[in-house]
Amino acid sequence: LLAVALVLGLLVAFGALFLRLNSLAFGDPIGSIAPVKASYVPMYLHFSLVLVAGVYLPPTLVVWFQHIAGLLG
């Protein structure tokens, strides 16, 4: 009997979530539709960190990654 109530509650919650996400994805935009002037600093910073990590990785991080890989199998 409790399982039926749980399933009905989950169905109602899933339906409400679906309706909310449906209106969010396919509804009319709210607020300004002007183009946003984004900052490229975070993108270039992340790109440079990935590039540096691809060229040189400190030995302590290499040991740490090898230890984690050993734990994962």
Side-chain angles (χ1 to χ4, degrees):
L1 190 58
L2 288 176
V4 172
L6 176 68
V7 169
L8 287 176
L10 286 174
L11 285 175
V12 168
F14 181 72
L17 180 65
F18 179 75
L19 288 175
R20 177 69 178 150
L21 290 178
N22 192 23
S23 67
L24 183 78
F26 301 112
D28 293 327
I30 298 173
S32 175
I33 57 172
V36 177
K37 186 177 181 182
S39 173
Y40 290 108
V41 173
M43 182 179 66
Y44 287 131
L45 180 66
H46 183 258
F47 176 70
S48 63
L49 285 173
V50 169
L51 184 66
V52 167
V55 173
Y56 172 74
L57 201 58
T60 54
L61 284 179
V62 172
V63 170
W64 184 71
F65 284 140
Q66 288 173 345
H67 176 70
I68 297 299
L71 288 175
L72 294 175

